[in-house]
Amino acid sequence: MDTANQRLTLAIDRRIDEPGGIARLRLRSLDGAPLAPFTAGAHLDVHVCDGEIDLWRQYSLCSDPQASEYYEIGVLRDPNSRGGSETLHRIAREGNILEIEGPRNHFPLHEEAPHSLLFGGGIGVTPMMAMARRLRALGKEFTLHYCTRSRSVTAFCGEVEAAGLSDVVVYHHDDEFETKLDLNAELAAAREGAHLYVCGPQGFMDWVISRALEFGIGDERIHREFFSADVDVSGENFEVVAERSGVSVSVESEETIAKALAKAGVKVDVKCEEGVCGTCVADVLEGEIDHRDHFLTEEEKREGEMMCVCCSRAKGKRIVLDL
């Protein structure tokens, strides 16, 4: 069943406040009907709306992919965000209603791999929880490395134990020398053909990915999920043409393609505004792309046939989109 474009209204059946400012939200259908299945690594787009805040935000599913009675997500309260997480923490009360889209999966698990290495940094552990449950059900060899600042802000410990995953989850805390992650040793011990998955803060992900490449793990076996990213949208002015709409506009130095087109009446669906969710991907008919997103693969970027118009720009003076 294709659930990528389905829109649902779900009730918050249960809220569990975990250490580290993380709220675990269990969502059920209003009539108690089973929910569509999802695959490990999938996320929900959640509509966060209250007062002046009207945003869509992406949250990975951490529940068991085999369970159909509910979806579960983890939400980090981040005071440095644009208001989405703060608002969701405030309005997420048991019995309240949320509008969601999905599940969607841009971070799929390769179940045939002989060995899987999962690296979750902070809230980045949420998709890894679903992956760990699935790999355990398949009887596959894997280890989940869960990295946090300290033991006191480490969420999901009870859930790890309840799910029977204590033997495959290794905790690493920045303030405990004896538990710090020895990434070189873990990568050196990886079996031939192993796949690596990483999610967490951008610096953490960049470190894991660059080191994995140095150890000979091919980019096609390195899988990443960005929750957010620092994006620089500045640059020289250029012209963007929406071919099917017959519209041509100038994109200013601090403006995005999506916003420039919106002012000219060409609507492009945008959700994350950070180049991590893929909602705004458009096909490119002409022009060279200055990719600034974290959604497209390196191969897709080299092909130059599509771009994320919420953040990426043209390298030249003109780019033509199939919009």
Side-chain angles (χ1 to χ4, degrees), residues 40-260:
H43 72 271
L44 299 178
D45 291 344
V46 178
H47 191 200
V48 183
C49 186
D50 185 56
E52 296 181 356
I53 299 294
D54 188 355
L55 304 166
W56 284 89
R57 289 295 176 260
Q58 293 70 45
Y59 296 99
S60 293
L61 286 154
C62 56
S63 46
D64 190 339
Q66 298 182 100
S68 61
E69 63 269 26
Y70 61 85
Y71 295 145
E72 195 166 272
I73 59 175
V75 181
L76 171 67
R77 181 178 178 272
D78 183 359
N80 297 316
S81 73
R82 286 172 290 164
S85 69
E86 291 266 12
T87 301
L88 189 50
H89 263 253
R90 185 175 66 253
I91 66 175
R93 297 290 178 263
E94 293 179 1
N96 284 3
I97 304 300
L98 290 178
E99 182 182 22
I100 69 104
E101 288 186 358
R104 296 187 172 97
N105 199 340
H106 304 312
F107 189 41
L109 183 64
H110 292 254
E111 298 180 349
E112 76 287 351
H115 182 205
S116 298
L117 290 169
L118 314 179
F119 294 93
I123 190 62
V125 78
T126 49
M128 307 301 174
M129 289 292 296
M131 288 182 173
R133 296 176 198 268
R134 177 60 177 164
L135 290 167
R136 173 52 57 89
L138 293 171
K140 293 290 187 175
E141 182 181 338
F142 72 99
T143 304
L144 167 52
H145 295 277
Y146 181 11
C147 304
T148 66
R149 296 192 309 276
S150 69
R151 194 177 299 270
S152 63
V153 296
T154 301
F156 299 102
C157 294
E159 190 66 10
V160 166
E161 186 174 352
L165 297 170
S166 298
D167 61 317
V168 289
V169 177
V170 182
Y171 295 96
H172 306 280
H173 309 300
D174 292 346
D175 61 353
E176 296 180 9
F177 178 80
E178 64 275 13
T179 68
K180 282 191 175 182
L181 173 61
D182 186 344
L183 185 56
N184 289 351
E186 297 301 330
L187 295 174
R191 286 180 51 188
E192 184 176 354
H195 280 244
L196 182 149
Y197 304 81
V198 59
C199 184
Q202 187 168 346
F204 171 78
M205 294 182 63
D206 291 344
W207 173 57
V208 173
I209 292 167
S210 62
R211 197 58 57 85
L213 290 170
E214 291 172 6
F215 272 80
I217 298 179
D219 189 64
E220 73 282 358
R221 291 187 285 117
I222 300 173
H223 314 284
R224 65 275 274 174
E225 173 97 310
F226 285 87
F227 281 153
S228 63
D230 296 326
V231 178
D232 177 11
V233 300
S234 64
E236 298 295 322
N237 295 10
F238 61 92
E239 178 191 13
V240 60
V241 179
E243 182 78 10
R244 284 189 284 112
S245 301
V247 171
S248 176
V249 296
S250 175
V251 180
E252 304 303 318
S253 61
E254 296 290 338
E255 189 176 34
T256 67
I257 292 175
K259 289 180 179 178

